[in-house]
Amino acid sequence: MSDMPRFSRRSVNGALVCALTAGCVSTPPAPSIAIPPAATVPPAAPVPEPASAPPPPPPILNFQEAVTNATRQVFATAPAAGTLPAIVVIDPLVDGVTGYQSRATESIQSRIIAVAKKEFPQYSIQPITAESLRAQPRFLIGTFTPINADLKPTGERESYWFCLVMGDLSTGKIVAKAVARAQLDGVDSSPTTAFSDSPIWTEDPSIQAYVATCKGSKVGDAIKPEYLDGLLAAALVREADSAYVEGRYAEALDLFRTARQNPAGEQLRVYNGIYLSLVKLGRSDEAVTAFGDLVTYGLQRRRLAVKFLFRPGSVRLAADTMTSGNYDMWIEEIASRAASRQMCIQITGHTSPTGPAALNDRLSLLRAEYIQSRLESDDARLRKRTLAAGKGSRENLIGTGRDDASDMLDRRVELNPIEGCADAGHV
């Protein structure tokens, strides 16, 4: 804004006005009075424009409608491709917190393919493979995450947040994005076979890069290099998962091991896949070593969540077709790997939100104490180097409260290194 105009400076003359009366006597002129210049008025501060209100969240729709709308928006708003039909590969969608693939994310992928085939014939949808990536195609990624009323993945969940993004490898840019919300009811969020069988969970950099590319990007942004670096490994993992699900365990093992040799192959799902394939092949000694590698992977990332399945309302471990007979080995390997690294470990139990909070707090602590006693019994070096705690349902990763395979991770036991304890020598 320009300066306001300055006031003009005036001089006052000393001429007096004589009264036109008899006997008027002239008087000497009054001395001139100097009026100082007026002060400069500073420019007015610019008035900030009112902040625009954030757009309202999308409405909560039924699952099929939410997926269909988001798919149409992404394909309709993407710029026309130079060569037709344009190849689009799908990097399998995941839960935005756990990184798990589920029956729901598989259903979303099937729906995307159906809508694109019917309404957008200019695109050719293909699975992500090393071969399809050579063409520098467009790609789709997406997250499907249960959220609360504040649109956050904590507390009581009330809907699913669906994010779908299209990127173009030939330009290195994000070219389209859509978000939607879906109802919790009628959605099968149970993990796929490979993820359901996996015994260990921790935050994985490759999955974090995937999620960040979907949630943290907008149209026109450069594709995050952390995601690009892992694309070839992602293609190998997808093929390995398919082989595992179809019972081709030797092939799955070879693919998982090949993925591990990739520069971006240091991934939790790769380590889980190697272990599971060896178990299915009956190669027990190698499976023990592979599980130990899983433990080390989690401890290095300072968060090791283990799917110890307990009987309902109990501290007794439940028999499970996949893990039955393996708990003893798991505990032994965890104890050995932690003790050999001279670590102190906090052991934290978790429960689903079902039931009274006070009861869940107590039950989660008892379960942590049970695992603590087993670890210390297996390796005496851990005595006085462990702490047990219970979090109840306050740190649920899924939070839907279904108490089935879909929220199994909410009933986990976590083992996290305690900072500075190794130097002190005890807790």
Side-chain angles (χ1 to χ4, degrees), residues 64-76 107-123 125 164:
Q64 290 290 345
E65 188 177 5
V67 173
T68 299
N69 288 356
T71 301
R72 285 172 175 161
Q73 183 178 342
V74 164
F75 279 92
S107 178
I108 291 172
Q109 182 165 321
S110 297
R111 185 62 183 161
I112 289 171
I113 293 171
V115 171
K117 184 176 181 179
K118 179 179 179 180
E119 301 182 23
F120 302 94
Q122 66 269 35
Y123 290 98
I125 310 298
L164 187 63

Side-chain angles (χ1 to χ4, degrees), residues 41 43 60 63 76 90 156 169 205 222 227 234 243 267 271 273 289 301 316 325 327 339 346 362 364:
V41 178
I60 300 176
F63 177 75
I90 300 180
E156 184 178 355
L169 293 180
Y227 173 73
Q267 300 183 23
Y271 282 99
T289 301
R301 281 152 184 79
R316 297 181 63 189
Y327 290 136
Q346 173 149 328
R362 180 61 179 160
S364 62

Side-chain angles (χ1 to χ4, degrees), residues 33-54:
I33 302 172
I35 299 178
T40 302
V41 178
V47 179
E49 295 185 6
S52 58

Side-chain angles (χ1 to χ4, degrees), residues 71 75 87-94 101 105-114 116 124-129 132-133 137-142 164-166 210 227 231 234-235 238:
T71 301
F75 279 92
I87 297 175
V88 177
V89 300
I90 300 180
D91 193 350
L93 287 75
V94 301
Q101 294 164 26
T105 62
E106 286 186 328
S107 178
I108 291 172
Q109 182 165 321
S110 297
R111 185 62 183 161
I112 289 171
I113 293 171
S124 171
I125 310 298
Q126 299 182 14
I128 182 171
T129 64
S132 64
L133 289 175
R138 293 186 176 184
F139 65 84
L140 284 174
I141 58 175
L164 187 63
V165 163
M166 180 184 288
Y210 180 111
Y227 173 73
L231 268 176
R238 188 205 64 80

